[in-house]
Amino acid sequence: IHLNAMTLKEPLHHFIGLFYPNMCCACGENLTIGEEVICLKCLYHLPRTNLHLERENKIEKRFWGKVTIEHATSFYYFEKGSDFQKILHKLKYKDGKEIGFTMGKYAGSELLDSADFQQFDFIVPVPLHPKKMAKRGYNQAEWIAHGLSEVMNVPVETTNLFRAIENPTQTKKSVYERWENTKGIFDIHNLELFENKRILIVDDVLTTGATLIACAEAILDKCPTAKISVFTLAVA
């Protein structure tokens, strides 16, 4: 009797699932073969923006008059109480590195459909302060960046842009307080590395944009020839 790989793989998948259930990060149902992190049903219903296909979109307009960027987009819309809030919470606070990586891959495959989001020299995740990094154990923006990199074939640069000041959490701050909270908190080590380069700055959620603007300002202040674009997994 000849058994092909799929014949053996399916019962093994279900057997392992009895002891180590692989569940959808949104609905909690067991994933089937071929599904990663999120089931196809939930993935289909996540509210995509499709703004990477639109120039001068409403994400880009949030940066107008504040910092010079080439392009900006967010992949999903985020609302409190939604399934996507559950996904982001697990990504950020429940050791959800794999969620960031997988969602980054999904987004990267679609960004390649836009001429504006191709041919970057570096993907740069918004850095965490070393103290917060040590406490959380990982940077969720970095894992999104690695997912993008896997598909877009662009290297992730995590050392040149750094957080020089540990600012308090932004979660409960007003818009003005968020701007005040991010002034001068980022810097770069090597000016030459970013000179004349196209850089995609990556974060998990866009709210006021204060943190992303502070990152872009830190780069452009030292490397005015750099070209900055912005990607976030979600926009509030």
Side-chain angles (χ1 to χ4, degrees), residues 181-199:
N181 198 34
T182 54
K183 285 184 178 179
I185 67 171
F186 297 102
D187 204 346
I188 60 173
H189 292 294
N190 183 351
L191 281 61
E192 294 180 357
L193 184 64
F194 285 166
E195 284 182 349
N196 297 305
K197 296 298 191 296
R198 293 192 69 220
I199 297 165

Side-chain angles (χ1 to χ4, degrees), residues 67-155:
V67 68
T68 302
I69 62 165
E70 290 206 307
H71 306 289
T73 192
S74 299
F75 201 59
Y76 295 109
Y77 289 111
F78 164 77
E79 292 181 4
K80 290 185 178 180
S82 65
D83 283 341
F84 201 67
Q85 183 179 25
K86 299 176 189 175
I87 294 172
L88 288 175
H89 185 78
K90 291 176 181 177
L91 165 63
K92 199 165 184 175
Y93 301 111
K94 301 293 183 180
D95 197 25
K97 299 185 287 290
E98 187 181 354
I99 295 173
F101 182 73
T102 300
M103 300 302 278
K105 287 196 298 181
Y106 289 147
S109 65
E110 297 203 21
L111 287 184
L112 290 175
D113 292 334
S114 169
D116 295 335
F117 287 89
Q118 295 183 25
Q119 299 180 337
F120 291 105
D121 296 292
F122 297 113
I123 298 174
V124 178
V126 172
L128 291 179
H129 189 273
K131 287 184 179 179
K132 185 172 285 187
M133 184 73 167
K135 182 179 180 181
R136 185 174 296 168
Y138 64 98
N139 179 356
Q140 72 278 3
E142 183 177 334
W143 282 87
I144 296 168
H146 282 300
L148 292 168
S149 173
E150 178 86 359
V151 176
M152 300 173 73
N153 197 30
V154 178

Side-chain angles (χ1 to χ4, degrees), residues 5 8 40 64 96 128 136 162 175 191 198 201 204-205 209 225:
L8 292 170
L40 292 177
W64 286 3
L128 291 179
R136 185 174 296 168
F162 67 98
V175 173
L191 281 61
R198 293 192 69 220
I201 301 177
D204 53 354
V205 184
T225 59

